[in-house]
Amino acid sequence: MGKDLNNAMDSTEGDNQYDEAAKRILGNKEVLSHILTNTVDEYKEMKPEDVIPLIEGDPYISVIPAEPGLTNAEKIVNGERIVGFNTENSERYEGLIRFDVIFYILTKDGKNKIIINVEAQRNENTSYPLLNRAIFYDCRVIASQKEREFSKSNYQDIKRTYSIWICMNTGENCMNHIHLVNDNIIGDHHWKGDIDIFNLIMIGVNDSCVPEADESKFYRFLCALFADPEKVPLQEKKDILNQEYNVWTPEIRKEVETMCNLSESIAERAEIKGFDKGFIKGEINGTIKTLVDLVKDNLLSIAEASKRANMTEEEFKKYLS
């Protein structure tokens, strides 16, 4: 039991380290600039290097709580009340869900800001519908603007939001823009307001192979960053990111290498764990077979055999049939 617990803890720790490395890659401005120019209409006609200066400050990586009531924090600066993102010690909110990456970015004209949230998923197979979670996150980004971006009833100051979800291992390359639409049911009355406030970008990546350079540059970029090193070796990742996208910075190199090493370690542990389980199962089956043979040859009683097999007599008798 102790060995199994240690293996589980090692596996969990490895998974967590992998996820944190992926988040740090997504929080890198060079990486974000490529994501934004392929997903957000505002920046699609821009070069990635021209988007970087529009990103305000350093993106918040896995520190801002997504929980209602905890996303914002109030402080007093020079006697003035200021409400901003909650960046308090993360240990205080241990166990709560947090945004992977969240940041502000200026629009092309520099007159407005958009709030961007980027999330990473290793696969779509979760115990809940992933889209529902994405909707919740973007709603939280919008709702948390109260008192931070606007106060009282000044809803006209709500900023546009994008929650961008990158999901690997989906079996196909796909992208969906989920947003509000206005269906006129009766009449054609125009309601004042901005229905482009809410935006979800759901990206699925087939990481079983890297697309050719002239086939899909964006998915080639994502595979080079996140695909399993068994499918895309580290040297190939380096060549693609360095030669084609010019983003092989020391920071990105460190995190990509970390994920590659962790992927290999996790795979090795899974293989060893599977071997251990099979070995143990074989040992148990072999022991029971031996006890059954002894009982059938009248060399051992059912009571003694079941005791040695650590089961009841009724359970052991099933193996005699």
Side-chain angles (χ1 to χ4, degrees):
M1 182 65 72
K3 181 180 178 181
D4 289 343
L5 179 59
N6 286 335
N7 286 339
M9 291 177 67
D10 289 344
S11 179
T12 300
E13 183 180 1
D15 289 344
N16 290 340
Q17 290 175 342
Y18 183 99
D19 292 341
E20 289 305 315
K23 292 172 188 178
R24 287 191 292 271
I25 287 177
L26 284 178
N28 183 285
K29 289 186 178 182
E30 282 80 7
V31 171
L32 286 172
S33 66
H34 283 275
I35 293 173
L36 293 171
T37 53
N38 283 277
T39 58
V40 180
D41 289 341
E42 180 79 14
Y43 311 107
K44 283 186 177 179
E45 302 302 321
M46 297 179 66
K47 296 179 180 178
E49 57 267 29
D50 294 332
V51 172
I52 294 176
L54 299 177
I55 299 174
E56 287 199 338
D58 294 323
Y60 298 104
I61 303 173
S62 197
V63 294
I64 306 300
E67 303 280 354
L70 295 179
T71 304
N72 297 335
E74 178 183 330
K75 58 183 177 180
I76 305 297
V77 179
N78 297 325
E80 182 181 356
R81 173 180 175 271
I82 296 177
V83 178
F85 279 129
N86 182 2
T87 58
E88 292 185 26
N89 191 327
S90 60
E91 292 180 359
R92 180 177 177 183
Y93 302 110
E94 187 176 357
L96 300 182
I97 58 173
R98 297 180 179 85
F99 296 108
D100 282 0
V101 179
I102 191 167
F103 60 96
Y104 289 90
I105 182 170
L106 292 169
T107 53
K108 287 185 294 186
D109 58 13
K111 295 180 180 180
N112 296 293
K113 296 179 183 180
I114 301 173
I115 304 175
I116 307 288
N117 161 229
V118 184
E119 299 288 326
Q121 287 286 127
R122 269 191 274 175
N123 58 70
E124 189 183 1
N125 296 324
T126 56
S127 59
Y128 50 81
L130 187 60
L131 180 57
N132 288 16
R133 180 181 174 188
I135 291 170
F136 172 79
Y137 273 47
D138 203 32
C139 287
R140 284 296 306 134
V141 176
I142 294 172
S144 67
Q145 293 185 47
K146 185 78 164 68
E147 302 305 329
R148 192 181 75 242
E149 308 301 332
F150 72 97
S151 59
K152 298 181 180 179
S153 298
N154 296 318
Y155 295 105
Q156 70 277 4
D157 294 331
I158 296 177
K159 290 179 171 52
R160 193 171 9 145
T161 65
Y162 277 81
S163 189
I164 303 170
W165 292 67
I166 300 174
C167 186
M168 305 300 293
N169 197 28
T170 55
E172 65 174 326
N173 293 329
C174 56
M175 185 187 303
N176 298 74
H177 180 196
I178 299 165
H179 51 108
L180 300 177
V181 296
N182 177 23
D183 293 327
N184 292 330
I185 298 174
I186 299 176
D188 57 359
H189 182 77
H190 175 72
W191 297 92
K192 295 180 181 179
D194 305 310
I195 65 171
D196 63 348
I197 287 173
F198 177 93
N199 295 276
L200 289 182
I201 304 293
M202 306 298 291
I203 302 169
V205 182
N206 174 16
D207 59 356
S208 60
C209 61
V210 180
E212 296 297 328
D214 58 352
E215 181 182 346
S216 176
K217 292 191 66 176
F218 183 46
Y219 286 96
R220 185 173 172 83
F221 176 70
L222 294 177
C223 280
L225 284 172
F226 299 113
D228 191 307
E230 290 189 359
K231 302 171 183 175
V232 187
L234 177 60
Q235 185 60 48
E236 185 177 355
K237 289 172 177 279
K238 174 184 175 181
D239 292 342
I240 293 174
L241 294 171
N242 186 35
Q243 298 171 15
E244 299 178 27
Y245 300 94
N246 195 31
V247 296
W248 193 245
T249 63
E251 293 82 8
I252 293 177
R253 174 179 178 175
K254 175 185 175 183
E255 303 304 343
V256 170
E257 288 179 345
T258 296
M259 288 198 301
C260 286
N261 292 334
L262 286 170
S263 292
E264 293 172 359
S265 176
I266 291 169
E268 287 172 1
R269 281 200 301 272
E271 183 176 351
I272 292 171
K273 187 175 180 182
F275 173 79
D276 286 346
K277 284 184 176 180
F279 180 77
I280 292 170
K281 184 177 180 181
E283 286 284 291
I284 292 172
N285 289 340
T287 300
I288 293 175
K289 184 179 184 302
T290 299
L291 292 171
V292 167
D293 290 342
L294 290 172
V295 170
K296 287 182 176 180
D297 291 340
N298 296 317
L299 296 174
L300 200 65
S301 69
I302 292 178
E304 181 61 25
S306 60
K307 182 178 179 181
R308 293 187 185 185
N310 195 27
M311 59 181 64
T312 66
E313 290 186 24
E314 292 301 318
E315 289 173 334
F316 185 81
K317 286 178 181 178
K318 295 178 181 178
Y319 292 93
L320 293 172
S321 57

